[in-house]
Amino acid sequence: MKYTIGDNVRFKLENGEVEEGNIQFIEKSRYEEIFYINSFSRWAYKVPGKRIIP
């Protein structure tokens, strides 16, 4: 699924918790996309695309 800056998304953290937030920046590389997300719990995360829940 394609995401753009400003989209609200749900994503899974390494410890298994699920957070919600909005995308601030998308870094595209040859192998994957990295999303920089400001969560609604006031934390910022750097999340690979495979951890975003559709």
Side-chain angles (χ1 to χ4, degrees):
M1 184 172 186
K2 293 285 185 178
Y3 297 102
T4 60
I5 294 173
D7 284 349
N8 290 333
V9 293
R10 294 178 62 205
F11 57 96
K12 188 179 277 191
L13 301 176
E14 287 183 8
N15 63 5
E17 292 182 41
V18 176
E19 290 278 336
E20 276 189 67
N22 60 0
I23 298 173
Q24 297 299 310
F25 182 75
I26 302 171
E27 180 181 315
K28 297 181 182 182
S29 74
R30 173 185 254 172
Y31 304 106
E32 68 179 347
E33 291 183 336
I34 303 292
F35 296 91
Y36 293 84
I37 301 173
N38 283 341
S39 75
F40 296 139
S41 64
R42 298 184 185 209
W43 285 88
Y45 294 98
K46 181 179 175 183
V47 180
K50 63 184 176 185
R51 285 205 209 140
I52 293 183
I53 301 169

